[in-house]
Amino acid sequence: DEAIALELLKPNFDGDGGTSSSTGVGFVSLRLSVAPTVVFVGELPFAHSGFEGIDESDNAVGNPYLGVEFHPQNSSVFLDVGVRPPVAPENNSALFVGILTDQQRWGAFLPDVMSVKGGVIFRHRAPTGLVTRLRVGPNVWIPTDDGGDAEVVASYSGQVGFEAEQVSVLGGITGQAILTEDDMEISERTTHQAGAIVTFVAGNVRPGIFLQLPLDEDLRDTVDFVFGLNVSIDLP
């Protein structure tokens, strides 16, 4: 329930794209138990873009996440709700890297947009170590500069894996669908990605490696895959 974590994501662009090796996205997050069944979750995103042979580069702090999770006792179902206030800068190429890198957290890199999300999560671990996790919920993107219409996006995911005492493996599919655009085909309003993560346990430290693969043709034309490293430290 209580941990601090760092997550680093490195996109591999189709044909390399001339980007520097440091181009990527990161997230620093914090989880704190504030009540017997309530956990505070905070996250600060950042992104960097650079190009080979060019001295100029962009850095950006994205829209932070402030949320809570409600964990009923003795239940495999819990809820999450949160908001991302709009602090991301405009006209910054690093934010574009963030959008291409992490489909499920677009709200972290949209300038002049406040995003609000909620979700229902089911997570079950069998005595054999088999883990199943499902999540579904809405994201609402609210423009803050030009008075445009808000967008409602359905976010959903399903994962299955195995947990042992010192290692866990989890894989699955995540996706989202824009619900408020009537003139879009299904293929245009949805994005999906497959992913897998391996996490190790060493005392109160949990390092992990993961891989994400875009499943939509338009995004695959730009990003081949995303490789990531993360580490979380359980707080005493």
Side-chain angles (χ1 to χ4, degrees):
D1 286 339
E2 297 193 320
I4 186 170
L6 172 65
E7 182 180 352
L8 301 175
L9 292 79
K10 171 62 180 174
N12 186 79
F13 292 105
D14 184 59
D16 188 27
T19 57
S20 65
S21 59
S22 59
T23 295
V25 175
F27 298 88
V28 177
S29 60
L30 174 68
R31 296 174 57 85
L32 291 175
S33 179
V34 295
T37 60
V38 180
V39 178
F40 165 80
V41 182
E43 179 186 83
L44 184 65
F46 56 92
H48 170 79
S49 65
F51 298 90
E52 296 179 354
I54 301 177
D55 292 335
E56 294 184 1
S57 62
D58 272 339
N59 297 285
V61 174
N63 302 320
Y65 177 76
L66 302 171
V68 291
E69 295 177 356
F70 300 94
H71 294 259
Q73 294 181 353
N74 302 318
S75 175
S76 297
V77 177
F78 64 98
L79 309 175
D80 68 353
V81 61
V83 61
R84 289 189 184 273
V87 303
E90 296 181 349
N91 302 320
N92 190 298
S93 63
L95 295 180
F96 189 60
V97 170
I99 291 172
L100 292 174
T101 300
D102 197 325
Q103 300 176 33
Q104 288 298 299
R105 285 181 282 194
W106 278 352
F109 302 105
L110 296 175
D112 298 318
V113 171
M114 181 176 70
S115 62
V116 181
K117 79 159 193 174
V120 179
I121 301 99
F122 169 83
R123 186 184 187 279
H124 177 70
R125 184 184 186 278
T128 59
L130 180 67
V131 175
T132 305
R133 185 182 187 278
L134 305 172
R135 183 189 183 280
V136 63
N139 290 345
V140 182
W141 299 336
I142 306 171
T144 59
D145 62 340
D146 58 4
D149 296 333
E151 298 281 7
V152 179
V153 181
S155 177
Y156 43 90
S157 63
Q159 291 95 26
V160 63
F162 177 79
E163 279 187 1
E165 185 175 347
Q166 294 184 319
V167 65
S168 67
V169 180
L170 190 69
I173 294 177
T174 60
Q176 60 183 9
I178 300 175
L179 303 180
T180 46
E181 295 294 335
D182 297 332
D183 57 347
M184 299 176 70
E185 300 291 336
I186 293 180
S187 60
E188 296 174 323
R189 69 171 69 240
T190 60
T191 58
H192 297 88
Q193 63 185 11
I197 181 170
V198 180
T199 303
F200 305 92
V201 180
N204 67 333
V205 180
R206 301 171 185 268
I209 57 175
F210 58 93
L211 182 70
Q212 297 175 354
L213 301 173
L215 300 179
D216 302 282
E217 184 177 356
D218 290 344
L219 193 55
R220 286 202 311 267
D221 289 341
T222 305
V223 180
D224 291 327
F225 62 86
V226 176
F227 176 76
L229 300 172
N230 70 341
V231 59
S232 67
I233 301 174
D234 295 339
L235 300 178

